[in-house]
Amino acid sequence: MNNLYIVNNYVEIPSNMELNIGGTSDYITFVGKMDYEPNILAVEYFVKHIFINLLTEFPNLQFNIVGAKPSKSVYKLTKYNNVVVTGFVDSLLPYWINSKIIVAPMLTGSGIQNKILQAMAHQCCVMTTSIGAEGLDPNCGLTICNSISEWIKTITILLNNKDTRITCGKIARKYIIDNMSKEIVEKQFSKFLNY
């Protein structure tokens, strides 16, 4: 019988100066390559079914779609109030630090989403679907929603509760440090190579 070895994704751990502390701006942000079909579907779903319904209670809320090569259909989302498509940005750090919530409302696709792991490492409050959370521990600090009503209700709660956002972010960052930091991945490789 062959032994099975698991080597986790490696995630660079940001310094304490690069952490989200509940978010300083009225931002919800999505990060990803924006000519990738699962990402396009995710932001279209979020804008048309979730974000526009949040603006009634949170009129100053802004949804940032951040990532290279936005498709025409992604750019068309800017016709909705408070939706911003940035295209490529030199640094994601301002979005990691300033956003109140990072969302990855994935409807299709598979595998661990690196953009989710990076946000978690920056201590962001991260929301996704069961698809977006594939491969991660249920207690990793992610908030998982799978219906429009769940998304709207949960975002409303989180936007109104900074302490809860901070707690989610701290749990997520600890999960990344404990499972995907350089030291952990090096130990996993070493165990495999020394077998």
Side-chain angles (χ1 to χ4, degrees):
M1 180 175 167
N2 294 329
N3 290 327
L4 177 66
Y5 290 92
I6 297 174
V7 178
N8 286 332
N9 290 41
Y10 163 64
V11 180
E12 186 173 343
I13 306 301
S15 73
N16 289 338
M17 300 295 292
E18 301 175 314
L19 301 184
N20 183 299
I21 313 295
T24 57
S25 301
D26 287 331
Y27 291 170
I28 294 177
T29 299
F30 178 95
V31 174
K33 190 178 177 188
M34 293 317 305
D35 61 352
Y36 177 55
E37 191 64 26
N39 289 346
I40 295 169
L41 290 173
V43 295
E44 288 180 336
Y45 166 76
F46 187 79
V47 170
K48 294 175 182 178
H49 300 288
I50 299 161
F51 183 71
I52 60 171
N53 290 302
L54 293 167
L55 292 177
T56 302
E57 184 169 349
F58 305 99
N60 296 321
L61 195 62
Q62 178 173 304
F63 181 47
N64 301 308
I65 301 172
V66 182
K69 301 181 179 179
S71 68
K72 288 182 180 179
S73 60
V74 170
Y75 271 122
K76 284 181 180 178
L77 295 174
T78 59
K79 71 181 181 182
Y80 294 94
N81 290 340
N82 301 10
V83 175
V84 175
V85 176
T86 69
F88 172 81
V89 295
D90 290 326
S91 174
L92 291 171
L93 186 59
Y95 297 97
W96 295 143
I97 291 177
N98 295 320
S99 298
K100 290 187 174 173
I101 302 172
I102 302 293
V103 295
M106 310 310 296
L107 303 176
T108 61
S110 62
I112 293 176
Q113 306 286 322
N114 285 325
K115 58 182 172 281
I116 292 176
L117 304 181
Q118 291 172 334
M120 292 168 69
H122 281 277
Q123 199 171 280
C124 300
C125 176
V126 184
M127 298 180 66
T128 189
T129 60
S130 296
I131 291 173
E134 281 181 358
L136 299 176
D137 189 287
N139 299 312
C140 67
L142 290 176
T143 299
I144 297 173
C145 295
N146 290 309
S147 71
I148 293 169
S149 59
E150 277 185 305
W151 275 100
I152 294 170
K153 178 181 177 182
T154 307
I155 289 175
T156 299
I157 292 169
L158 289 171
L159 289 175
N160 286 320
N161 196 325
K162 181 178 180 179
D163 289 343
T164 301
R165 297 198 306 271
I166 292 172
T167 297
C168 290
K170 286 182 176 179
I171 293 170
R173 177 173 165 85
K174 184 177 186 304
Y175 175 82
I176 297 297
I177 291 171
D178 290 349
N179 293 279
M180 299 181 185
S181 61
K182 181 179 179 182
E183 293 76 17
I184 297 299
V185 173
E186 282 180 346
K187 286 179 183 177
Q188 291 170 341
F189 265 120
S190 179
K191 183 177 179 181
F192 169 69
L193 294 173
N194 292 326
Y195 169 68

